[in-house]
């Protein structure tokens, strides 16, 4: 098959899966809106947004596409709630990038802190994510501590320029990414120590991988979030990173962080036999993380390789196969 034919085939495949999931998401947000029977949503109306559930889905699809695909493969009765949780995470994660002043970012974080403190005490703020999250939290009795942990960790990062050590980055990933897994498990009604251990390590792997994937994005904004101990260990010049250079010191630092992320993935998968099979679907997002690390290795750990910025066309199919095989 020639290059042109392969390109056409890939384009056709992308359109096919985009159409398939587009139809599926319309079904889950519009036709199955009553599945969860959110009591908190029964009398709510959100200004300028006719369907808060659809708004949350679109927010996740736009800014967190891989987890959007994973959410679509969850059992239907929890999809709406998990989309609300993921939309909340998008809102919080975007604060640093969309605000020009730290004071404004702090005000946004305080809004969400106040919202969590008022849950169950009255009408939630009339924003789509707040309304949906209020319903999801009430219906599934989601632990508010995980939401508070996410906000506190993101809030602290507003006043910091990076991480001092890899261990500090791992702790941050545990509080943010792993907390989302804990909340997904709560929606599924799963309480299992092995599932929690797997969630912890997958979250850490995702957090480290996210830092690696975002290096080109941050470099364009003259930011470097590689942990300081790695920078010192490899005598790395931050200016080289910001200029997009792939010197050996940059490759070595990336290799170290990627190896740590891969270790967490392998540790999480070592619990496969002990994790309840119905919990495996909560960890499907381990696959995109794994695929990126594999592609990074193939690129000789050059995070600036343009191929790493392109989506994997077969990801929807591979996620579906993982679900069928009950693997993560």
């Amino acid at each position: 098959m020639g290059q042109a034919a392969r390109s056409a085939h890939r384009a056709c495949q992308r359109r096919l899966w985009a159409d398939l999931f587009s139809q599926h998401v319309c079904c889950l947000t519009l036709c199955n809106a009553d599945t969860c029977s959110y009591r908190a949503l029964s009398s709510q109306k959100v200004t300028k947004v006719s369907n808060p559930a659809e708004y949350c889905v679109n927010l996740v699809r736009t800014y967190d596409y891989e987890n959007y695909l994973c959410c679509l493969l969850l059992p239907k009765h929890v999809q709406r709630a998990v989309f609300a949780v993921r939309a909340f995470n998008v809102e919080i994660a975007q604060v640093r990038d969309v605000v020009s002043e730290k004071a404004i970012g702090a005000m946004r974080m305080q809004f969400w802190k106040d919202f969590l403190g008022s849950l169950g005490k009255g009408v939630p703020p009339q924003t789509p994510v707040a309304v949906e999250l209020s319903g999801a939290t009430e219906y599934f009795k989601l632990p508010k501590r995980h939401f508070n942990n996410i906000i506190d960790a993101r809030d602290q990062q507003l006043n910091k320029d990076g991480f001092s050590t890899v261990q500090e980055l791992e702790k941050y990933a545990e509080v943010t990414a792993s907390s989302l897994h804990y909340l997904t498990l709560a929606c599924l009604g799963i309480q299992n120590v092995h599932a929690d251990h797997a969630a912890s390590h997958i979250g850490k792997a995702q957090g480290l991988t996210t830092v690696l994937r975002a290096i080109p994005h941050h470099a364009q904004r003259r930011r470097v979030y590689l942990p300081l101990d790695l920078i010192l260990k490899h005598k790395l010049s931050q200016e080289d990173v910001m200029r997009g250079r792939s010197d050996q010191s940059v490759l070595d630092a990336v290799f170290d962080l990627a190896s740590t992320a891969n270790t967490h993935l392998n540790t999480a998968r070592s619990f496969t036999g002990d994790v309840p099979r119905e919990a495996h679907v909560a960890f499907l997002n381990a696959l995109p993380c794994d695929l990126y690390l594999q592609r990074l290795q193939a690129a000789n750990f050059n995070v600036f390789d343009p191929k790493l910025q392109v989506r994997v066309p077969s990801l929807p199919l591979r996620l579906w196969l993982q679900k069928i095989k009950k693997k993560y």
Side-chain angles (χ1 to χ4, degrees):
M1 183 183 293
Q3 181 63 35
R6 285 195 295 269
S7 298
H9 175 74
R10 287 195 293 268
C12 180
Q13 186 182 45
R14 286 194 293 269
R15 288 195 298 270
L16 172 64
W17 282 100
D19 290 344
L20 173 63
F21 282 119
S22 177
Q23 293 170 10
H24 183 57
V25 75
C26 287
C27 177
L28 77 91
T29 55
L30 301 179
C31 299
N32 296 322
D34 294 332
T35 301
C36 293
S37 302
Y38 291 159
R39 293 185 299 276
L41 301 185
S42 59
S43 62
Q44 302 304 324
K45 294 182 180 179
V46 183
T47 305
K48 297 183 180 180
V49 178
S50 60
N51 192 321
E54 187 174 6
Y55 176 91
C56 289
V57 171
N58 288 333
L59 190 66
V60 177
R61 177 169 52 195
T62 302
Y63 295 102
D64 192 7
Y65 182 73
E66 291 173 352
N67 281 306
Y68 159 75
L69 294 178
C70 294
C71 288
L72 291 176
L73 294 172
L74 290 169
K76 287 186 178 181
H77 72 283
V78 303
Q79 286 179 353
R80 184 177 178 182
V82 178
F83 268 120
V85 170
R86 287 286 172 180
F88 161 80
N89 182 60
V90 170
E91 291 268 10
I92 298 299
Q94 283 188 322
V95 170
R96 181 165 188 149
D97 287 335
V98 300
V99 300
S100 56
E101 298 180 12
K102 292 181 179 180
I104 298 176
M107 291 173 61
R108 289 199 176 192
M109 292 298 187
Q110 189 60 49
F111 165 84
W112 288 106
K113 290 178 182 179
D114 293 342
F115 160 72
L116 290 172
S118 66
L119 277 176
K121 300 179 182 179
V123 178
Q126 295 300 282
T127 68
V129 176
V131 169
E132 282 295 292
L133 195 62
S134 177
T137 303
E138 179 179 345
Y139 187 82
F140 288 101
K141 309 301 180 186
L142 301 180
K144 288 195 290 186
R145 69 178 183 277
H146 295 312
F147 295 108
N148 283 314
N149 288 341
I150 293 172
I151 292 176
D152 289 342
R154 298 281 190 185
D155 195 12
Q156 291 173 13
Q157 279 300 308
L158 289 177
N159 300 310
K160 297 177 63 178
D161 293 324
F163 303 92
S164 299
T165 65
V166 173
Q167 289 72 27
E168 183 182 338
L169 174 56
E170 288 176 306
K171 183 178 179 181
Y172 176 78
E174 158 75 22
V175 174
T176 53
S178 298
S179 291
L180 297 172
H181 289 105
Y182 299 143
L183 289 165
T184 302
L185 290 172
C187 290
L188 291 167
I190 296 171
Q191 296 181 351
N192 180 275
V193 64
H194 300 295
D196 288 344
H197 286 162
S200 173
H201 286 285
I202 291 174
K204 290 176 182 177
Q206 285 185 302
L208 270 59
T209 303
T210 298
V211 168
L212 291 171
R213 297 178 73 166
I215 287 176
H217 169 80
H218 290 141
Q220 292 177 354
R221 290 156 179 77
R222 301 194 62 77
R223 299 175 184 171
V224 178
Y225 287 111
L226 282 170
L228 183 59
D229 59 348
L230 281 184
I231 292 175
L232 296 176
K233 174 183 176 181
H234 297 287
K235 300 179 181 179
L236 176 64
S237 167
Q238 293 192 14
E239 188 65 28
D240 287 344
V241 178
M242 290 185 286
R243 291 184 179 181
R245 294 175 179 171
S246 54
D247 294 346
Q248 191 59 48
S249 58
V250 178
L251 300 180
D252 290 342
V254 169
F255 170 79
D256 276 5
L257 199 58
S259 297
T260 304
N262 190 61
T263 298
H264 282 298
L265 268 184
N266 290 335
T267 302
R269 286 170 170 167
S270 71
F271 296 111
T272 299
D274 299 313
V275 172
R277 291 177 68 82
E278 60 271 19
H280 289 190
V281 71
F283 304 141
L284 288 177
N285 42 21
L287 178 63
C289 180
D290 191 12
L291 291 178
Y292 177 80
L293 292 175
Q294 292 179 31
R295 296 166 70 205
L296 181 61
Q297 182 180 16
N300 195 31
F301 299 98
N302 177 14
V303 290
F304 298 103
D305 190 320
K307 295 178 182 178
L308 295 174
Q309 308 304 317
V310 179
R311 288 177 179 172
V312 179
S314 63
L315 179 59
L317 176 61
R318 298 178 73 161
L319 286 170
W320 180 76
L321 290 175
Q322 287 289 87
K323 176 184 177 180
I324 296 300
K325 296 176 183 177
K326 293 190 180 299
K327 293 183 178 181
Y328 59 84

